[in-house]
Every structure is written in structure tokens, then in C-alpha cells.
Amino acid sequence: MISKQEILNASILIVDDQQSNVLLLEEMLQNASYTCITSTNDPYAVRELYRKNRYDLILLDLQMPGMDGFQVMKDLEEIETEGYLPVLVITAQPSHKLQALASGAKDFVAKPFDLVEVQTRIHNMLEVRLLYKKLVDHNQILEQTVLERTAELRESETRFRRFTELSSDWYWEQDKDGNFTNVFGPVAEMLGILLIETEDNTSDGQGEVWNKNEREILEANLAARRPFLDFVYGRTTPNGSKQYLMVSGEPTFDAGRFTGYRGIGKDVTESIRSNGESSANR
């Protein structure tokens, strides 16, 4: 909400070629405790004054020599191309009211002035104007916050991806249907995609043969949506040598709904062979 003091501190510009009208409006505003009042008798000066000060309200006389209020509003609209033009027009011609509203004015008052009516319309217009400015400021802050959070998220994702690249040979993500949506490294080869079942083992169709029991344990974890850490399983390569792989994975959820899996893995053959040789030498 807009406080009474915020309204009284709003900036107001009076534009009228008749100094008597200017003095009357200034006195009325001062008596109502408005604190930031500027005036001019020169309609040609309004454009630059508004560009520099962006007043919260302009009290604009329509009938002025040389440059009338309609031309002034046209100039102002070139500045406020996408914004709110805070103009309250002053006119002695009833026929000008609709034209003024169509030209961008937000409200009007008639001459001779009814001071209570003028005060009420000024107060209402300033309240709307200040609410509009607050909304614009809030949206700008929100947009900046979104940009900052997006940048932070991208940076975090970059760090996470770099970490997984350094700590593993491959990284993988699956959707809820088991389709790979994001992979780094030879995931298809290491996880054994396109498996062929045989009586005693499983094969990926390219010559590598996995231990059937180990593969069943891994697939059971995935099917049950259980996390698993450093699960080691082995396979025999086409040249007859043993290869050992270690994989970790966790299910992902969104508001309790299963969305897939993500995990990392690496080849631990050398480590297991070294440990086996060390054990044999003891």
C-alpha cells in the first residue's frame, strides 16, 4: 500500500500559461501539505523538465498559446513509450475531455476549479501512479533475482559436471522410462546397453560378457528405485581379460514423483588387480 506521506512527498509539475492559475494550484497543494511542487508557464519546457525529473503527476492546461496541451502530451509520449503518462488535464472546454483522455491523459478537471474535486483527483492519481512505480520496481527486482539465480544454477551445474568428470569416467542421467537423457563418457558401453541373455551370463552383442548375478543385482536396484553406492560388477572382454566397473546411482524425484536416475561410474580394473596381487603376495 501507499502511505499518506508518500503521496504528499510525490513530485508534481504545474503547467499553465496563466500565472494566476499556477498560483492558485500551488497554494491549494501547499495547504494540503504537498512538499514537492514545480511549475512553469512555458509549454515548450515541459518535455525537458519531465525527462530530467520524471514527475509523479503533471497538472496540464490544454489551452496555451504556441503549444497547446495536446502537443505537450504528444511530446511526453515519446519519452514514456512503454510507461505510465501521469497527466491530469485542466480545461474549460467540455468537448476537450474525451479528446484529452484519448491523447493519453489519465484524468481531467474543469475550470473554474472546484478545489475539493481537484484535491481528490490529484490524491487518487498519485496513489495509482506510485503503485504503478512500485510494481515496476518489484518486477525489475524479481527479474534481476531470476537472472542471478539462473546464473548461480548454471555455475553450480558447471561445477557439479566438472566434479563428476574429474571423479569418474562417466556420468549418466535417465528419465522415468529408463531412457538416457544426459551422458558423459562411454555410458552405453559401460552399462551394457542392448544386452543379450544367454544361459549363464549376459552379453552386449559386442563380445563383452557380464556376470549374470551381478547384473541382476544392479538391474534390481534400478527397478526398485533404490540408491546404490560403489557397486562393483565384472565382465569378460573379447580378448578374455577381466574388467571391473564401479557404479553409483540415485533415483531423482520431483514433489515425490519419480523422475529418473542419475549416477557416475568408473573403470576400477587396475585397482582390483593391484589389491588382488597384494593379497596374493602376503
Side-chain angles (χ1 to χ4, degrees):
M1 297 299 293
I2 303 298
S3 69
K4 180 180 179 180
Q5 196 57 50
E6 285 178 295
I7 293 175
L8 294 177
N9 291 338
S11 58
I12 301 173
L13 174 65
I14 302 170
V15 184
D16 197 312
D17 65 307
Q18 298 293 322
Q19 186 63 17
S20 59
N21 290 334
V22 171
L23 293 174
L24 177 62
L25 289 169
E26 285 180 340
E27 183 180 5
M28 179 206 69
L29 291 169
Q30 289 166 358
N31 290 338
S33 300
Y34 287 95
T35 63
C36 188
I37 306 165
T38 306
S39 62
T40 181
N41 302 123
D42 182 7
Y44 293 96
V46 176
R47 179 189 180 103
E48 193 58 31
L49 283 171
Y50 184 73
R51 187 189 301 278
K52 290 180 179 179
N53 301 286
R54 298 298 173 123
Y55 300 100
D56 296 312
L57 177 62
I58 300 174
L59 300 175
L60 177 64
D61 184 29
L62 286 182
Q63 293 180 295
M64 295 180 289
M67 185 179 193
D68 64 22
F70 295 107
Q71 292 172 299
V72 171
M73 283 190 285
K74 186 175 181 180
D75 276 356
L76 293 176
E77 284 186 332
E78 293 178 2
I79 301 173
E80 288 287 358
T81 54
E82 298 180 359
Y84 179 96
L85 191 60
V87 173
L88 189 157
V89 298
I90 303 168
T91 179
Q93 299 294 329
S95 61
H96 286 166
K97 294 177 180 179
L98 290 179
Q99 184 181 355
L101 293 175
S103 298
K106 295 300 183 287
D107 203 351
F108 56 83
V109 292
K111 293 181 180 179
F113 301 133
D114 179 325
L115 295 183
V116 174
E117 178 189 5
V118 175
Q119 288 180 358
T120 302
R121 291 183 183 274
I122 287 174
H123 180 280
N124 291 345
M125 269 200 66
L126 283 172
E127 185 173 26
V128 172
R129 169 63 169 168
L130 296 179
L131 282 170
Y132 177 85
K133 289 176 68 174
K134 279 195 173 184
L135 178 62
V136 170
D137 291 342
H138 174 75
N139 288 341
Q140 289 176 343
I141 293 172
L142 181 61
E143 182 178 354
Q144 183 60 35
T145 301
V146 170
L147 290 175
E148 291 173 357
R149 295 296 181 270
T150 301
E152 291 173 2
L153 178 60
R154 288 175 177 170
E155 183 180 355
S156 176
E157 289 176 343
T158 300
R159 288 199 302 268
F160 174 73
R161 185 176 298 279
R162 183 58 181 158
F163 173 76
T164 58
E165 291 174 0
L166 292 173
S167 63
S168 61
D169 295 332
W170 30 284
Y171 170 80
W172 53 277
E173 291 181 2
Q174 287 179 322
D175 62 19
K176 62 182 180 62
D177 299 316
N179 301 311
F180 285 94
T181 58
N182 193 10
V183 298
F184 169 79
V187 174
E189 175 189 348
M190 294 302 188
L191 287 181
I193 309 303
L194 302 177
L195 293 177
I196 300 173
E197 296 289 342
T198 63
E199 183 176 350
D200 299 319
N201 51 47
T202 58
S203 169
D204 65 359
Q206 299 178 2
E208 287 83 357
V209 178
W210 272 265
N211 180 289
K212 183 176 182 180
N213 292 333
E214 293 171 349
R215 287 291 309 184
E216 287 178 349
I217 294 173
L218 176 60
E219 290 168 3
N221 282 327
L222 291 169
R225 300 174 183 174
R226 291 191 295 262
F228 49 92
L229 179 65
D230 296 342
F231 179 80
V232 178
Y233 59 102
R235 68 180 183 179
T236 304
T237 64
N239 64 12
S241 63
K242 275 295 260 187
Q243 184 181 31
Y244 297 94
L245 308 170
M246 184 169 66
V247 63
S248 299
E250 63 174 2
T252 57
F253 298 89
D254 182 7
R257 180 175 57 87
F258 176 69
T259 57
Y261 254 96
R262 64 185 175 192
I264 58 174
K266 59 183 177 180
D267 188 326
V268 293
T269 303
E270 292 302 321
S271 175
I272 288 180
R273 284 177 179 172
S274 297
N275 290 338
E277 290 173 0
S278 298
S279 299
N281 291 332
R282 291 193 183 99

